[in-house]
Amino acid sequence: MDIGADRDESHSPTVAQVGEFGVIDRSTRGRIQSSHTILGPGDDAAVVAAADGRVVATTDMLVEGRHFRLDWSSPIDVGRKAVAQNGADISAMGARCTGFLVALGCPASTSVEVTDGLSEGFWREAQRAGASIIGGDLVQSEELVISITALGDLEGRPPVLRSGARPGDVVAVFGHLGWSAAGLAVLEAGRSGHAALVDAHRVPAPEYEQGVSAALAGATSLTDVSDGLVADLGHIAQASSVSVDLNSDLLDTGSEIVSAATDLGVSVLSWVLGGGEDHAFAATFPRTARIPDGWTVVGHVSGPSGAPMVTVDGEPFSGPAGWSSFDGSTE
Amino acid sequence: MDIGADRDESHSPTVAQVGEFGVIDRSTRGRIQSSHTILGPGDDAAVVAAADGRVVATTDMLVEGRHFRLDWSSPIDVGRKAVAQNGADISAMGARCTGFLVALGCPASTSVEVTDGLSEGFWREAQRAGASIIGGDLVQSEELVISITALGDLEGRPPVLRSGARPGDVVAVFGHLGWSAAGLAVLEAGRSGHAALVDAHRVPAPEYEQGVSAALAGATSLTDVSDGLVADLGHIAQASSVSVDLNSDLLDTGSEIVSAATDLGVSVLSWVLGGGEDHAFAATFPRTARIPDGWTVVGHVSGPSGAPMVTVDGEPFSGPAGWSSFDGSTE
């Protein structure tokens, strides 16, 4: 479905005109459920396989103006991002995604072009994660609100918690760090260019299978980087009662982000260490583990001497403390 | 926790003052997870038992001013209602609730008295359903939005679908019908009294185990009554390609609802047949089945002669068609 083709005509009907059941029909018609789905949308509830007798579950809510802007991102991008940030949380337990539920609140005046685009984005990203949209709800609200629940399968393995890091472990990361924050800064500054960073902000693209790879390699702790590397490693340090030291020389800053930092006069490390929403992964591994391909060792874990903390090159990190939902910012 | 005691003081801090993690801490501290929970809140995702290798899942969103009003209902009532309407969908598959996830969006100025009350309501109703709150999210939004996902266990049974009704089956219901609509009408009219009806509107109290009872008794189809009896039986008729005829003499109208109908000059049957949000249950059973205790036979299923439809005493129902999310009403 290419909803972009209709965009210039502006003749798209509204959600009120099409009605609740019409919008739901447009979003489910012709969709093919994944092999995990035993019963898809259309009854009081869905049924999903949970082969090893357990299900992993997480939920995240996104609000227009705070978590996304439709003048910066297409509806498809927003739909993908909403599913991606939930799917990344499933991967961050060492699990595979098996299904997603979507609750959507929107004004009656919302164009079905927007709901069609969101739906297309939900589906595209759910399929990237190896799953599908198994159910949902559509209600009227003043602002556009998306709430996603992701389900996952541990395939017989124990979940990889935040609390398992041990002194002597190494810290490794997978994925671009700071790209989403850099892309947001480019958009906020009204700059052109830096497309890779802007794209990373619009649609994080978690490599979902890396959570399983980390689990299979013996990761002692694992999280996705949603609040910022230092903040998320802080959650691991706190839960594991350890401290983490990062070696800034080992962090891959890459030419894209250095170029944007120079352009905007910002410190690269403030993005790499403090920027959220990348949905990269951070894990700790025993020193003897074979670190999976594509992961980079960026630090080490030490024992509890005083309060658990995260340092960079042995010093406290003085940059942004990470994302918080009630800090007064608008994105 | 009796948050009502603080209400007159108006010295309760706001969510912005307490912060995201402070509010989450207040809502999770000291809570005891149910036996279904393998890993509760605090990591990237929760883990819940799914003993028979499948999980039932459903989601519903509630928006202030449209699905509830805090001048009519306490935060505890609203929290209970949000969980109840999702838990009833799990029961309506013939399953038992195993866990609930809660995503909450609220303005920064929201009093923590409200979030504490909602949390207390979420927990009370989750425990009534035999489960607990296993995870959630808290974000800033302009209006108060609650999105719940419920998970459930079929205990080895097939799910009871809407599509299994067969000609010759009987139709039976469990629970009060029309009470929520009557209670809403009392509130909208600004009347006093009719406390049982108003309470039923504020907090539906599904008898969750009746879904399992219906399944064990051999129900061929099952749904909860959320949109209105005729509308919800219409979903069964449509999915099963059958017609349903209700016998109005068999519908229990009871003295409470008759009294309110007289008071407001409304037809009792318009509430009983058209009123939503009761989260009673409606099912079809083979004529030879032993109908579970407490269920009332109210009609029968006939074969497809023309389009599937629901009739009352052989005539089309001319009352309200049932709840729709985009019909312009405010509740």
Side-chain angles (χ1 to χ4, degrees), chain A residues 98-316:
Chain A
T98 54
F100 295 89
L101 297 125
V102 178
L104 177 65
C106 66
S109 61
T110 305
S111 162
V112 294
E113 201 184 302
V114 171
T115 54
D116 285 351
L118 290 170
S119 171
E120 177 65 18
F122 298 146
W123 271 94
R124 279 193 202 172
E125 194 64 22
Q127 288 174 327
R128 258 197 87 236
S132 48
I133 306 300
I134 60 167
D137 191 24
L138 174 67
V139 301
Q140 190 171 333
S141 59
E142 295 297 317
E143 57 191 334
L144 189 56
V145 181
I146 302 165
S147 183
I148 309 262
T149 295
L151 304 178
D153 176 15
L154 285 161
E155 303 176 320
R157 295 180 298 274
V160 186
L161 307 182
R162 296 177 179 173
S163 55
R166 292 167 305 188
D169 284 352
V170 297
V171 177
V173 297
F174 182 95
H176 296 303
L177 293 169
W179 282 39
S180 178
L184 174 60
V186 169
L187 287 166
E188 285 179 335
R191 298 294 177 93
S192 60
H194 307 294
L197 305 176
V198 170
D199 287 350
H201 176 71
R202 287 182 175 136
V203 185
E207 297 287 341
Y208 298 103
E209 73 280 7
Q210 292 301 325
V212 173
S213 297
L216 292 174
T220 53
S221 72
L222 175 61
T223 192
D224 72 315
V225 182
S226 53
D227 294 344
L229 181 63
V230 168
D232 286 308
L233 286 173
H235 299 150
I236 285 180
Q238 196 74 42
S240 301
S241 296
V242 297
S243 287
V244 167
D245 186 50
L246 295 170
N247 181 337
S248 64
D249 289 341
L250 301 178
L251 290 163
D252 174 25
T253 49
S255 59
E256 290 88 347
I257 195 167
V258 168
S259 151
T262 306
D263 198 7
L264 296 177
V266 172
S267 146
V268 175
L269 275 183
S270 74
W271 285 336
V272 171
L273 295 168
E277 295 198 290
D278 284 306
H279 303 292
F281 296 103
T284 57
F285 294 92
R287 193 175 291 275
T288 54
R290 188 183 166 283
I291 308 298
D293 290 347
W295 289 70
T296 307
V297 172
V298 296
H300 69 276
V301 177
S302 61
S305 58
M309 63 186 301
V310 179
T311 51
V312 180
D313 304 327
E315 301 291 330

Side-chain angles (χ1 to χ4, degrees), chain B residues 63 122 153 286 303:
Chain B
V63 179
F122 298 145
D153 177 15

Side-chain angles (χ1 to χ4, degrees), chain B:
Chain B
M1 171 169 34
D2 179 7
I3 68 123
D6 294 328
R7 179 149 275 215
D8 292 332
E9 300 183 22
S10 302
H11 293 322
S12 173
T14 66
V15 168
Q17 289 168 323
V18 171
E20 175 183 359
F21 295 109
V23 173
I24 291 172
D25 181 58
R26 291 167 75 104
S27 68
T28 53
R29 197 193 313 147
R31 300 290 186 183
I32 296 167
Q33 291 289 319
S34 86
S35 61
H36 305 289
T37 306
I38 296 169
L39 179 71
D43 216 295
D44 293 294
V47 184
V48 181
D52 78 356
R54 299 168 298 170
V55 62
V56 184
T58 184
T59 192
D60 261 353
M61 183 178 273
L62 293 85
V63 179
E64 184 175 7
R66 182 146 181 92
H67 302 99
F68 62 87
R69 287 174 49 164
L70 284 174
D71 55 338
W72 283 354
S73 302
S74 73
I76 292 178
D77 290 344
V78 172
R80 287 191 58 189
K81 181 174 182 164
V83 166
Q85 72 183 57
N86 281 279
D89 279 328
I90 297 294
S91 295
M93 302 301 285
R96 268 186 222 285
C97 297
T98 53
F100 295 89
L101 297 125
V102 178
L104 177 65
C106 66
S109 60
T110 305
S111 161
V112 295
E113 201 184 301
V114 170
T115 54
D116 284 351
L118 289 170
S119 172
E120 177 66 17
F122 298 145
W123 271 93
R124 279 192 202 173
E125 195 64 23
Q127 287 174 327
R128 257 195 89 235
S132 47
I133 306 300
I134 60 167
D137 191 23
L138 174 66
V139 302
Q140 190 172 333
S141 59
E142 294 297 317
E143 57 191 335
L144 189 55
V145 181
I146 302 166
S147 183
I148 308 264
T149 295
L151 304 179
D153 177 15
L154 284 162
E155 302 174 323
R157 295 180 299 274
V160 186
L161 307 183
R162 296 176 179 172
S163 55
R166 292 168 305 189
D169 285 353
V170 297
V171 177
V173 297
F174 181 97
H176 297 303
L177 293 170
W179 283 39
S180 178
L184 174 59
V186 169
L187 287 167
E188 285 179 335
R191 297 295 176 92
S192 59
H194 307 295
L197 305 177
V198 171
D199 286 350
H201 176 70
R202 287 181 175 137
V203 185
E207 297 286 341
Y208 298 103
E209 73 282 5
Q210 293 302 323
V212 174
S213 297
L216 292 174
T220 52
S221 73
L222 176 60
T223 191
D224 73 316
V225 183
S226 52
D227 294 344
L229 182 62
V230 168
D232 286 308
L233 285 174
H235 299 151
I236 284 180
Q238 197 73 43
S240 302
S241 296
V242 297
S243 286
V244 168
D245 186 50
L246 296 171
N247 181 338
S248 64
D249 290 342
L250 300 178
L251 289 164
D252 174 25
T253 47
S255 58
E256 288 88 347
I257 195 167
V258 169
S259 152
T262 307
D263 199 6
L264 296 177
V266 172
S267 146
V268 174
L269 276 184
S270 75
W271 285 335
V272 170
L273 295 168
E277 294 198 291
D278 284 306
H279 303 291
F281 295 102
T284 56
F285 294 92
R287 194 176 289 278
T288 54
R290 189 185 166 280
I291 308 296
D293 289 347
W295 288 69
T296 307
V297 172
V298 297
H300 69 276
V301 178
S302 61
S305 59
M309 63 185 303
V310 179
T311 52
V312 181
D313 304 327
E315 301 292 332
F317 175 59
S318 55
W323 168 267
S324 167
S325 279
F326 291 92
D327 61 358
S329 74
T330 55
E331 257 253 349

